[in-house]
Amino acid sequence: MNRIVWIDLLRGFCMMLILWFHTEVYYAGQSIIPYDLYVVNALTTFYFISGYLLYSHQPFSWRSKLLSILRGLVVPYFFFTLLLALPKALMTHQPVTDIIIHILQGNGSWFVSSLITAEVIFACVLYVHNRWLIHLLPLAALAGAWLLTGSEVSMHHNYWNFHNALIGLVFMYLGYEYHRHEQRFQPFHRLSSLLLLLLLLIIIKVYVTRHDISLLIEPVLVSNYLIFMADSICFILLALGIFSRLPRVKWMEWIGRHSLVYYFFCGGVPMVVARLMPAYHHYYTVPIAFLMVCMLSTAIVWLCYRYLTIILKH
């Protein structure tokens, strides 16, 4: 299947945002640029892209999709989380058995496991092939996410990150429907529309900051779902308009194509870099740490795709 350039570019950009966030957290000891300003948008965009790629003009094959999830997500999830279990135990002083149990519960890499859960649920709904059920899915998922927010179940029994997957299902549906009716969204790609979306997004971000609204989706602690949806949709539409206009940027495309494996190392690599770097005193050193994180992560990801072809598919 031919690659879609703007998708690889957008994935690459979002992965860099995730790496920047983790660099700040591990090197500076805190997220200096607030999570609500960009991290939540990168994550919901990944869900949206997954939904976009689920749509096809060809008849939906439930068996093929489940095999794709198994091969492309489940196998890498178990391989990389188990591979990193021992180093993680040594660095965090946790018992290896506790980490393995954590992995089996689907919490070894929260985003990947939530993506697996969301894609399996969405695939089952598509298999039923009932348009009403498909359209009810995001409403039911959003209502479920709202009801579970802050609950005991969500905080302590969120196996395979099903609560986060409910958020993911909303944006997967939006991506699926966007692809299905893509021509109708072309007006949003006009320069005037992009400027309006940018202005609206800035207003929302200012409102979120001033009113201390939480848009956290790991754990799910969204305090205002109306603002959360408005913020996410504005960002996604703006990102789609911008990245569909961009020329090819091969290094960013490469990151986007291999973003899954970057995600497995997006915590460990910044942790290692933070220990190698001099102590944090000034923010201007964060870009240096980020550059080191990107270079080391890229080297590791390249090696994985070079020598683990049985585990990873391009």
Side-chain angles (χ1 to χ4, degrees), residues 6 19 90 95 108 147 179 207 218 223 240 274 304 307:
W6 68 262
L19 288 173
L90 292 173
L147 289 170
H179 194 175
Y207 184 83
E218 172 40 30
S223 60
L240 292 176
C304 288
Y307 295 105

Side-chain angles (χ1 to χ4, degrees), residues 207-240:
Y207 184 83
V208 166
T209 302
R210 288 188 174 180
H211 292 269
D212 198 27
I213 294 172
S214 171
L215 303 182
L216 186 66
I217 62 172
E218 172 40 30
V220 181
L221 292 174
V222 177
S223 60
N224 188 318
Y225 274 87
L226 182 62
I227 294 296
F228 168 67
M229 291 303 300
D231 174 84
S232 298
I233 291 171
C234 276
F235 179 89
I236 289 169
L237 288 174
L238 179 62
L240 292 176

